[in-house]
Amino acid sequence: MASMASLRAQNLTKHYATLAKSYSAHRPLIQRIINASFILYVLGSTYRGLSGGGGSSKSSKKKGKGKKEDSTKKSERVAVDAVFYQRLAVILRIVIPGARSKEAMLLVMHSSLLVLRTAISLYVAALDGRIVASLVRAQPLEFFLNIMRWLLVAIPATWTNSWLSYIQNKLSIAYRTRLTKVILQQYLGEEDEGPQGKVYYKISNLDDRIKNPDQMITHDINKFSIHLASIYSNLAKPVLDVILYNYQLSQNVGAEGLLVLTVLVQSTAALLRYLTPPLGTYTALSAQFAGQLRHTHSRLAEFSEEVAFLGGEQTEKMLIEREYATVMRHESKVLDKRWWFGCVEEGIIKWLWGSFGLVLCGIPVFIKLPGVGRIDLGSRTEGLVTNRRLLLSGSDAMGRVMYSYKDLSELAGYTARVSLLLDTMRDVQKGRFEKALISSATTGENAHILRGRGQIIMSEDIEFENVPIVTPNGDVLVKSLSFHIKHGQNLLIVGPNGCGKSSLFRILGGLWPVYGGIVKKPVASEFILIPQRPYLSLGTLRDQVIYPHSKETMDARGITDDDLIKILGIVKMENVVEREGGWDAAREWRDALSGGDQQKIAWARLFYHNPKYAILDEATSLVPPDMEGMMMEHAAKLGITVLTVSHRPSLWKYHAMILHYDGQGVYVFTKLDAERRLALQQEKQALESRLLEVPMMKARLEELRLERSDVRV
């Protein structure tokens, strides 16, 4: 038995020696296979992780488990998944329009600098080991030569690092500029875009998906551009470093140790990915809540006068504090999540992986590697320092790959916000709106009206044929409106508040959709609107009169400042130029001019542009009646046909037609006999004043009766 056991042991020893000899003979090939497999594995696992496969399984479970809960929330869950990559691909085609674009060239430069920095890091790791080895061997000349090499390599190293930061910032600016230009082109559009234009108005008034487009265009696009520019270096550089550092490390300590290290690292990395919170959702919600808080503050600034008169300070304070509390509650939740995740993340990446690396560095010291002869203390120290440097750099690169998923999650949040803006603008241009409707809009005849679409035809005249007047929330004010105005026929529109007077103008201006019938109207350039409170832009006094033209456009039309003085003379405001310091004076004109002067400036703007049609919405409510008549007469002299909403009887004589709403969905369109209507109005007012005296007369009659009874007694 003992001899058989001894024979079996000898056979095992012989087989082991043969296997070891065969392994030593083929070790270079095995090393190459392991290294190639490692490279493929790193690239494949990175791709799977970025494709969403490496995301938190916990979050995916929550998704499936909480469908009912998610459906009740306004904000959809944002994650690094296929939806994110579809959104990002659309935006990338905007920010990098072609291979020869400026952004593509910057990316090529950035990639080249990343490779150069990694090559410098490899050289520095080897040089670090030689410096320590020369110290251990007490070789002063070699030590000082290595120090000189260290100083020389610092020149390209510092140059590369500075250029990397510079190019990354330039990329961010280029992305933001390109994306902002495209979005502003859609947001503001062109004057002749027709029903597809006026997106800036429709997105705020006809659609509920975006409450604060200003924040999205400024803050969110900026954050998106910064994250997109940084994610490339935060991802491409670490992946490249992991491959190159570990390849060099495998040459020093053997690919076998690298294989074991990879298995251990990936096992713990899977645990780390499982524990990663949904940072993309948190980022999107942070931007959304911050936007809501800013919107609440902007509303207070916009309606400050109304709030002051009504004494609504406490209510507004409560609203602002409520929005602020929502922001703080969310940020506290995010901080809590980030705190415990940061503990886990640092414990695994820095300390656990660091211990794996120290064990790997000890392999050449404790185990004799095939093909490596006896080495002295200096060589051993050089190898240990070099391997340690490579290991720290590789571990740091691996950590940055893991951190990049967190950065990618935050990028997903901003991508969702920018994508929402692009999708909403595209839908609005196509006439697809998502708006909360009143209950009556979803039933019966009103629902049928809202499903319809009308037709818009360019014409010299203004004509409505069976057009429903519908507000954005689905309230049908008039089911079928028909009238026809020829050029030169001024139209007076009257009726109670909320009956559809201004709604008619919004349909004419292309702001509201046409839900049925046919609208015939001139092109948008032949219209101008003068509201009760005119719009005054940021700019000079000249800009207020010629808006939206620029001085160059004015000069191209052959109009001079002297011509503008004459126009101001018509509205009795020629002295404003000298009073305000000349045509180039810049003010906040809403504060510098009185309400009456603002309306006069709006009329001067009308005379400057001289369109075929003008819409006057209580446009003379703050000017004297004699000035009102002069402006109406001059408009008629210029051939401007006006559509007027006004409660002033003094304007009736300047109109030939009247459109009268009763406020119950019924209207009358007929010729206007101003004199007869004025006489009827005066008779009505006289009767109403007499009727007001009836209670007083009855009271006096009762007093007389009582006095007469007292006299008889």
Side-chain angles (χ1 to χ4, degrees):
M1 290 290 293
S3 60
M4 289 183 64
S6 175
L7 182 62
R8 194 176 294 114
Q10 289 177 1
N11 288 333
L12 287 173
T13 304
K14 187 176 180 182
H15 285 305
Y16 175 77
T18 305
L19 185 62
K21 186 176 180 181
S22 175
Y23 179 80
S24 299
H26 297 89
R27 187 170 182 268
L29 176 62
I30 295 172
Q31 294 266 357
R32 284 194 291 272
I33 292 173
I34 293 176
N35 286 329
S37 301
F38 173 77
I39 294 173
L40 293 175
Y41 176 77
V42 169
L43 295 176
S45 61
T46 303
Y47 174 78
R48 286 194 305 274
L50 297 181
S51 299
S56 172
S57 60
K58 181 178 70 171
S59 64
S60 63
K61 283 180 186 176
K62 281 186 179 178
K63 261 188 186 177
K65 194 166 123 184
K67 284 182 181 175
K68 186 175 180 183
E69 179 187 350
D70 289 344
S71 64
T72 61
K73 291 183 180 180
K74 287 185 179 180
S75 302
E76 62 173 328
R77 189 176 185 85
V78 179
V80 182
D81 52 13
V83 176
F84 159 65
Y85 285 105
Q86 289 171 3
R87 292 168 174 167
L88 186 61
V90 172
I91 301 175
L92 283 177
R93 284 193 288 270
I94 296 174
V95 299
I96 309 177
R100 296 185 178 181
S101 63
K102 173 186 175 182
E103 293 79 8
M105 295 298 103
L106 287 172
L107 270 178
V108 171
M109 290 179 61
H110 201 235
S111 303
S112 303
L113 290 169
L114 289 175
V115 173
L116 178 60
R117 191 169 79 170
T118 301
I120 291 174
S121 298
L122 287 171
Y123 177 78
V124 169
L127 183 60
D128 201 11
R130 291 202 294 271
I131 289 174
V132 175
S134 62
L135 280 174
V136 172
R137 292 172 180 150
Q139 297 174 333
L141 180 60
E142 185 68 21
F143 173 76
F144 285 113
L145 286 175
N146 287 330
I147 292 297
M148 292 302 299
R149 295 188 185 100
W150 180 279
L151 293 175
L152 288 174
V153 81
I155 297 173
T158 53
W159 180 86
T160 303
N161 289 332
S162 296
W163 264 101
L164 271 172
S165 177
Y166 176 78
I167 296 296
Q168 181 172 312
N169 290 328
K170 291 287 286 184
L171 260 178
S172 173
I173 294 172
Y175 290 155
R176 183 182 183 184
T177 302
R178 182 82 66 174
L179 192 55
T180 301
K181 282 183 178 179
V182 170
I183 286 178
L184 286 181
Q185 179 64 34
Q186 296 181 39
Y187 189 66
L188 294 172
E190 299 293 339
E191 186 179 358
D192 56 353
E193 279 186 329
Q196 295 184 347
K198 316 294 184 186
V199 172
Y200 61 91
Y201 173 86
K202 296 174 181 177
I203 208 169
S204 299
N205 295 276
L206 306 184
D207 198 279
D208 285 341
R209 280 173 284 183
I210 296 177
K211 297 297 183 186
N212 47 348
D214 54 335
Q215 190 209 16
M216 284 186 160
I217 295 174
T218 54
H219 178 267
D220 291 350
I221 287 180
N222 180 39
K223 287 291 186 180
F224 169 82
S225 302
I226 292 173
H227 277 73
L228 183 61
S230 64
I231 197 67
Y232 180 71
S233 60
N234 291 345
L235 192 60
K237 176 69 166 59
V239 170
L240 180 65
D241 287 351
V242 167
I243 293 173
L244 293 181
Y245 287 144
N246 283 280
Y247 174 79
Q248 186 62 45
L249 196 61
S250 70
Q251 302 300 305
N252 297 343
V253 302
E256 301 86 352
L258 180 63
L259 179 63
V260 175
L261 179 65
T262 302
V263 172
L264 294 173
V265 167
Q266 289 302 314
S267 300
T268 52
L271 174 64
L272 190 60
R273 282 194 295 270
Y274 177 81
L275 296 173
T276 302
L279 299 173
T281 302
Y282 294 158
T283 301
L285 285 174
S286 294
Q288 178 183 331
F289 293 150
Q292 290 172 356
L293 177 61
R294 181 182 299 179
H295 178 64
T296 307
H297 277 286
S298 65
R299 283 189 79 259
L300 176 60
E302 182 180 358
F303 300 105
S304 57
E305 182 176 328
E306 291 84 347
V307 173
F309 274 120
L310 293 171
E313 293 84 1
Q314 291 303 315
T315 301
E316 295 300 320
K317 181 183 177 184
M318 180 192 69
L319 292 173
I320 291 174
E321 287 178 345
R322 185 178 66 187
E323 295 296 340
Y324 181 76
T326 302
V327 173
M328 290 300 100
R329 190 161 52 247
H330 175 71
E331 294 300 330
S332 297
K333 176 184 175 183
V334 174
L335 282 176
D336 292 342
K337 296 285 186 181
R338 286 182 182 274
W339 176 82
W340 69 258
F341 179 68
C343 295
V344 174
E345 192 175 37
E346 182 173 347
I348 291 177
I349 292 177
K350 182 176 181 180
W351 299 101
L352 186 59
W353 290 2
S355 65
F356 293 160
L358 290 172
V359 172
L360 189 66
C361 287
I363 290 178
V365 177
F366 300 112
I367 301 174
K368 185 180 182 307
L369 297 177
V372 179
R374 292 184 60 83
I375 54 177
D376 60 1
L377 181 61
S379 299
R380 183 177 297 172
T381 305
E382 178 183 350
L384 179 63
V385 172
T386 300
N387 293 340
R388 176 66 174 162
R389 184 70 177 258
L390 289 172
L391 186 67
L392 289 175
S393 299
S395 177
D396 178 66
M398 193 65 191
R400 280 182 285 133
V401 171
M402 297 299 299
Y403 289 138
S404 67
Y405 186 80
K406 183 168 61 177
D407 297 335
L408 203 62
S409 296
E410 294 183 359
L411 176 64
Y414 289 112
T415 302
R417 297 274 291 172
V418 175
S419 181
L420 174 62
L421 179 61
L422 290 169
D423 292 344
T424 304
M425 288 196 299
R426 184 169 57 250
D427 288 346
V428 164
Q429 286 178 321
K430 294 179 180 178
R432 295 198 295 260
F433 308 107
E434 293 184 14
K435 183 78 174 176
L437 304 178
I438 61 175
S439 57
S440 62
T442 58
T443 58
E445 187 179 357
N446 289 354
H448 177 72
I449 291 174
L450 287 172
R451 285 195 294 269
R453 280 295 180 269
Q455 187 179 2
I456 299 176
I457 300 175
M458 295 298 110
S459 171
E460 291 293 321
D461 301 337
I462 295 176
E463 184 176 359
F464 276 47
E465 295 182 13
N466 302 316
V467 178
I469 305 297
V470 184
T471 64
N473 64 354
D475 189 10
V476 180
L477 302 177
V478 179
K479 292 183 178 179
S480 180
L481 176 64
S482 297
F483 70 90
H484 184 194
I485 292 294
K486 294 181 179 179
H487 185 250
Q489 290 182 324
N490 292 347
L491 174 67
L492 178 68
I493 304 174
V494 295
N497 291 335
C499 66
K501 301 188 295 293
S502 299
S503 304
L504 170 64
F505 297 155
R506 293 184 180 112
I507 293 175
L508 273 177
L511 302 182
W512 286 8
V514 181
Y515 286 99
I518 299 174
V519 174
K520 296 180 181 179
K521 62 173 187 174
V523 295
S525 59
E526 297 295 341
F527 271 100
I528 193 168
L529 168 69
I530 305 181
Q532 185 174 11
R533 187 179 182 184
Y535 174 70
L536 300 178
S537 67
L538 298 175
T540 64
L541 178 60
R542 183 189 299 105
D543 294 334
Q544 310 314 308
V545 178
I546 66 176
Y547 184 86
H549 287 176
S550 62
K551 188 176 186 303
E552 290 74 18
T553 307
M554 184 189 83
D555 294 338
R557 294 180 63 192
I559 297 177
T560 64
D561 288 344
D562 291 337
D563 296 324
L564 296 184
I565 287 284
K566 293 177 183 178
I567 292 175
L568 287 179
I570 297 169
V571 296
K572 307 299 182 185
M573 279 196 68
E574 60 268 30
N575 63 331
V576 74
V577 180
E578 183 179 352
R579 186 186 78 196
E580 297 296 337
W583 283 112
D584 294 317
R587 303 271 192 282
E588 180 54 76
W589 297 105
R590 291 185 303 175
D591 301 328
L593 299 176
S594 66
D597 285 348
Q598 291 182 35
Q599 287 191 343
K600 290 178 183 179
I601 287 288
W603 278 87
R605 186 183 297 166
L606 170 65
F607 298 148
Y608 164 81
H609 287 285
N610 191 19
K612 284 187 176 181
Y613 292 90
I615 297 172
L616 311 178
D617 193 353
E618 299 288 356
T620 60
S621 60
L622 301 176
V623 298
D626 57 337
M627 176 60 63
E628 172 186 77
M630 292 172 57
M631 293 189 298
M632 291 293 293
E633 289 171 0
H634 189 74
K637 183 179 177 181
L638 293 176
I640 301 173
T641 303
V642 298
L643 288 74
T644 307
V645 172
S646 178
H647 293 92
R648 281 190 172 184
S650 57
L651 286 175
W652 292 354
K653 61 184 177 181
Y654 301 106
H655 297 82
M657 309 296 294
I658 184 171
L659 179 62
H660 188 176
Y661 294 96
D662 70 347
Q664 302 299 320
V666 180
Y667 69 94
V668 175
F669 174 67
T670 185
K671 289 184 178 180
L672 174 62
D673 187 342
E675 292 183 3
R676 176 170 171 75
R677 187 176 179 86
L678 185 58
L680 292 173
Q681 176 76 5
Q682 290 173 349
E683 183 179 356
K684 178 187 173 186
Q685 290 176 351
L687 290 172
E688 286 176 346
S689 63
R690 289 182 183 179
L691 288 173
L692 290 174
E693 294 176 0
V694 168
M696 298 173 60
M697 294 171 67
K698 285 182 177 180
R700 181 56 182 163
L701 182 60
E702 186 64 28
E703 288 177 2
L704 291 173
R705 284 176 181 169
L706 292 173
E707 289 179 6
R708 185 178 177 186
S709 299
D710 292 341
V711 169
R712 285 180 180 177
V713 172

